[in-house]
Amino acid sequence: AYAHYTELLPLILEDLSNASSYFAEGYYLDGMVAGLATIGAELNAIDKVALIDILESLLGLDLIAAIGVPAYNQLVFEGFEGDMEVIANLHDYSPEQLQEDLLSIVKIVEEILASNIHMMGVNKEFVSEECIEHLENIIKTLFGLNILEVKEQDLGAILDVFLGELVDFSNVDFAKIDLSEDGVKLAEIIRPLYILVETVLYEGFSLDLVYNTELLDAVLDIYEAIISTSLVEYIVPAAAKSIVSGLAMEGLVGDIIAALDLETLANEEIYEDLCTIATILRNVEALDVMGMVFAEEQIGLYDIDGYKALLENVFNINILDHAMIPVIEVVVESMLAVELD
């Protein structure tokens, strides 16, 4: 069995090399499709059970765990300097955690093979609905890796390395971010995302999809799952404030956006607005507003309470409450300027 997989590795490397030739010539999509198709065909031809057994046997060895972290710290980490040190630092990562992660990676490989996602480039067909559970497990396992838990304490410093010039993270409470729990929430995206992609692939994109209730429900499920994560709750508001403020100072956004002045809002208020938007969209879905707008359906006034709830939620948006007067002033000034011209 080992001999078979030893022969397989050079074939996969050759496939990657052939695919890279497309990239070199600028045909990025063709290169990706070619690489996935050939690798997928070879992976499909192997004994998947035997492959998983071999990986578990090799990566589960105590020797791998015992020498892995020390070897990395001595041979690899020493090469990093300055800001990159905080990213590459694994001194708090134990051999036991490494071993658990290696076996988790084997589990991810097993789920990928079981999902048949690797066969899409071979069969030229979308995967069946049976892949959903496997893809959910992949996300949960990935976000549950010990190495992510270890690096959570450095998340603020890592983001500051890449985005520090653009975003002020000084008022973000990174201690409240839980990547493992976020993985569970993000896994909820897979089923509605499958519905979304499958519908667009088979029906094509058109305005008819805008008032497709199943599709709209899927989009809202995705949005709600994303905003329920701690990453969005604690990072996105800070990022939005810094980015909009910076663009406004450079004159790169319109007067109305600049008038919102997000810097005067608390992060919690901006996150509340993200949640309120989800509620508003659910109101819109329940009232079939999209059908009225795009399908020219007759406006139904049978649900007075529904329209009342919609308006209440709109006026509960903190940004509107905070910036209503400045925005109106900008609009009026713009209108007057046009009339004077």
Side-chain angles (χ1 to χ4, degrees):
Y2 282 98
H4 174 70
Y5 298 110
T6 303
E7 295 171 1
L8 180 65
L9 182 58
L11 291 175
I12 292 178
L13 292 176
E14 183 181 353
D15 294 335
L16 292 174
S17 176
N18 293 336
S20 68
S21 64
Y22 286 94
F23 284 83
E25 296 175 13
Y27 300 105
Y28 303 109
L29 182 59
D30 291 338
M32 185 161 36
V33 171
L36 289 175
T38 50
I39 292 173
E42 280 153 9
L43 287 175
N44 191 55
I46 66 175
D47 183 340
K48 300 179 182 62
V49 175
L51 173 62
I52 297 302
D53 287 342
I54 290 171
L55 289 175
E56 285 181 341
S57 299
L58 289 175
L59 299 181
L61 290 174
D62 291 338
L63 178 63
I64 299 293
I67 67 173
V69 176
Y72 170 85
N73 288 332
Q74 293 181 24
L75 302 177
V76 179
F77 177 69
E78 295 299 327
F80 290 95
E81 297 179 352
D83 291 336
M84 295 304 295
E85 286 187 15
V86 70
I87 300 171
N89 182 7
L90 294 180
H91 286 97
D92 294 328
Y93 192 42
S94 71
E96 292 77 19
Q97 289 174 314
L98 170 61
Q99 189 171 50
E100 287 180 6
D101 281 355
L102 290 175
L103 293 176
S104 292
I105 291 171
V106 174
K107 179 66 175 175
I108 290 174
V109 173
E110 185 177 12
E111 294 285 2
I112 290 173
L113 295 175
S115 72
N116 278 327
I117 205 101
H118 61 287
M119 290 299 294
M120 283 200 299
V122 180
N123 298 331
K124 310 297 183 185
E125 294 180 356
F126 195 50
V127 289
S128 70
E129 193 173 348
E130 295 175 356
C131 75
I132 293 175
E133 183 178 353
H134 297 296
L135 296 179
E136 289 173 342
N137 291 337
I138 289 171
I139 292 179
K140 291 175 186 176
T141 304
L142 184 62
F143 275 80
L145 292 175
N146 293 314
I147 192 169
L148 294 184
E149 183 180 359
V150 169
K151 297 302 292 181
E152 274 181 353
Q153 61 186 343
D154 299 325
L155 185 57
I158 292 172
L159 287 175
D160 202 50
V161 169
F162 293 105
L163 301 172
E165 295 184 4
L166 187 63
V167 179
D168 178 13
F169 293 108
S170 60
N171 60 346
V172 175
D173 188 357
F174 286 98
K176 292 184 178 179
I177 291 177
D178 186 341
L179 294 178
S180 179
E181 182 62 28
D182 282 355
V184 174
K185 294 175 179 177
L186 288 174
E188 297 174 4
I189 291 174
I190 298 299
R191 185 169 297 279
L193 184 60
Y194 180 91
I195 294 172
L196 178 63
V197 174
E198 183 184 42
T199 303
V200 173
L201 280 179
Y202 287 116
E203 298 185 17
F205 183 80
S206 67
L207 280 179
D208 291 341
L209 296 180
V210 175
Y211 53 88
N212 179 318
T213 54
E214 184 183 22
L215 201 61
L216 180 58
D217 194 50
V219 171
L220 295 183
D221 285 343
I222 293 170
Y223 177 74
E224 287 171 345
I226 291 174
I227 65 170
S228 71
T229 63
S230 61
L231 284 170
V232 170
E233 181 176 359
Y234 296 106
I235 294 178
V236 169
K241 288 166 65 173
S242 295
I243 293 173
V244 172
S245 175
L247 292 176
M249 290 179 64
E250 296 292 332
L252 298 177
V253 293
D255 293 338
I256 292 179
I257 300 298
L260 295 177
D261 194 14
L262 297 184
E263 285 290 344
T264 59
L265 285 172
N267 289 353
E268 293 79 9
E269 290 178 302
I270 295 177
Y271 180 68
E272 283 177 7
D273 284 354
L274 294 177
C275 297
T276 302
I277 289 171
T279 304
I280 291 171
L281 292 174
R282 287 296 182 189
N283 293 148
V284 168
E285 178 188 28
L287 293 168
D288 195 23
V289 173
M290 304 305 283
M292 298 175 199
V293 174
F294 292 98
E296 299 181 356
E297 297 176 2
Q298 186 175 2
I299 297 177
L301 298 177
Y302 51 85
D303 190 358
I304 301 299
D305 289 338
Y307 287 104
K308 180 180 177 182
L310 174 60
L311 291 174
E312 286 178 349
N313 287 320
V314 168
F315 285 103
N316 278 336
I317 295 178
N318 294 312
I319 293 176
L320 291 182
D321 182 52
H322 159 78
M324 182 74 76
I325 300 302
V327 168
I328 291 175
E329 289 176 350
V330 169
V331 172
V332 171
E333 288 176 2
S334 300
M335 294 172 64
L336 290 175
V338 170
E339 289 182 3
L340 290 174
D341 289 341

